[in-house]
């Protein structure tokens, strides 16, 4: 039996190491990890998606994207012949975005975010006060690898200003009911992960290892 090729796309600025605890049966699936690269000047999300799609080397593959990576894989779908697209901790259209993001789009407040601070996460760890903050910053240090200000400014703008209004009924959406970035009250038609936060690809990896194979293979 030929294996199902599964491509994972991490969230905004994140490294593919966020998938390190995901363990799909190796006799059934072949896993491929996609990574963010720098956008070109004023590059549209659709054009970036077309470039990223070139890294998908197999026909009839499954694309899985987390958060902003979930937005990207939906845009990549137009350029590929895919078996399935699955999004995790993400949104299917700009209608599902939280109110604060819609306001940020209208007011352009997203342009004021101090994205340059992300480049100095090691300094933030060094000078952080309190163990909880230090632990969180250590996680950022481990999982956030794309800290270039050009990328961050571009990615935040693409997320907040995503133009898709119509939901693609073929998209499979897995979402946590405790997601603090994209609250589940704004989301329709999703597979609910009880207690799942926005970082549940890491914190709920056991749920994914138990359920993802069936979700991928279901007709």
């Amino acid at each position: 039996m030929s294996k199902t090729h599964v491509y994972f796309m991490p969230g905004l600025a994140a490294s593919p190491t966020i998938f390190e605890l995901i363990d799909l049966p190796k006799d059934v699936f072949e896993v491929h990890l996609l990574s963010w690269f720098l956008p070109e000047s004023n590059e549209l999300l659709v054009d970036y998606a077309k470039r990223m799609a070139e890294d998908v080397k197999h026909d009839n593959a499954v694309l899985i994207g987390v958060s902003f990576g979930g937005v990207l894989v939906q845009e990549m779908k137009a350029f590929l012949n895919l078996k399935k697209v699955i999004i995790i901790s993400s949104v299917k259209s700009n209608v599902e975005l939280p109110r604060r993001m819609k306001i940020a789009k209208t007011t352009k407040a997203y342009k004021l975010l101090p994205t340059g601070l992300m480049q100095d996460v090691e300094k933030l760890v060094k000078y952080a006060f309190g163990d909880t903050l230090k632990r969180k910053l250590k996680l950022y240090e481990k999982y956030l690898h794309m800290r270039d200000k050009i990328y961050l400014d571009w990615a935040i703008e693409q997320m907040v200003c995503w133009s898709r209004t119509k939901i693609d009924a073929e998209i499979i959406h897995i979402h946590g009911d405790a997601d603090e970035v994209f609250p589940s009250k704004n989301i329709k038609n999703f597979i609910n992960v009880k207690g799942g936060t926005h970082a549940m690809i890491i914190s709920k990896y056991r749920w994914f290892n138990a359920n993802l194979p069936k979700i991928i293979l279901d007709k």
Side-chain angles (χ1 to χ4, degrees):
M1 187 180 82
S2 61
K3 293 183 182 181
T4 299
H5 292 273
V6 183
Y7 285 78
F8 283 96
M9 186 74 226
L12 194 151
S15 156
T17 54
I18 66 165
F19 303 112
E20 64 186 357
L21 299 175
I22 303 301
D23 187 20
L24 301 179
K26 292 176 179 55
D27 57 331
V28 181
F29 304 100
E30 189 162 328
V31 169
H32 309 269
L33 301 175
L34 297 170
S35 294
W36 295 104
F37 48 75
L38 279 178
E40 292 172 355
S41 180
N42 299 314
E43 186 167 21
L44 298 174
L45 183 62
V46 65
D47 294 325
Y48 188 96
K50 188 175 183 180
R51 288 206 291 148
M52 184 65 79
E54 292 170 8
D55 288 343
V56 177
K57 306 296 185 187
H58 301 89
D59 212 32
N60 211 31
V62 174
L63 273 190
I64 300 179
V66 172
S67 191
F68 180 50
V71 168
L72 183 66
V73 297
Q74 290 175 78
E75 296 296 330
M76 290 167 66
K77 185 173 181 272
F79 305 106
L80 296 162
N81 178 30
L82 298 167
K83 177 187 176 73
K84 198 169 282 190
V85 175
I86 300 169
I87 65 170
I88 298 167
S89 308
S90 190
V91 292
K92 297 182 291 297
S93 78
N94 60 19
V95 177
E96 294 186 333
L97 289 173
R99 187 166 173 266
R100 68 178 179 278
M101 285 194 187
K102 291 175 181 175
I103 292 169
K105 177 186 176 181
T106 306
T107 61
K108 292 193 168 20
Y110 61 87
K111 290 183 180 287
L112 304 175
L113 289 169
T115 48
L117 288 175
M118 295 285 285
Q119 293 166 302
D120 291 323
V121 73
E122 288 85 359
K123 286 182 185 172
L124 287 172
V125 169
K126 189 176 176 184
Y127 296 112
F129 293 99
D131 289 340
T132 305
L133 183 56
K134 278 186 179 175
R135 274 200 301 275
K136 281 192 174 178
L137 286 171
K138 277 290 183 190
L139 285 175
Y140 284 130
E141 193 178 9
K142 178 177 181 181
Y143 292 118
L144 296 186
H145 83 127
M146 183 57 102
R147 299 180 199 156
D148 188 289
K149 190 179 187 316
I150 291 170
Y151 164 82
L152 291 168
D153 289 343
W154 172 85
I156 290 166
E157 181 170 17
Q158 300 309 311
M159 182 70 251
V160 172
C161 300
W162 193 30
S163 61
R164 179 168 299 206
T165 54
K166 192 176 179 200
I167 289 173
D168 182 343
E170 292 180 345
I171 301 298
I172 294 164
H173 191 169
I174 304 172
H175 208 81
D177 58 14
D179 193 305
E180 64 282 13
V181 176
F182 301 124
S184 60
K185 67 181 181 182
N186 302 317
I187 313 287
K188 289 190 169 68
N189 302 322
F190 64 95
I191 298 166
N192 182 43
V193 180
K194 195 167 172 54
T197 65
H198 196 64
M200 69 179 182
I201 193 67
I202 298 164
S203 60
K204 295 282 188 182
Y205 71 92
R206 289 186 183 89
W207 185 96
F208 286 101
N209 289 341
N211 293 279
L212 256 188
K214 186 176 186 300
I215 293 169
I216 292 170
L217 295 176
D218 266 359
K219 296 289 187 233

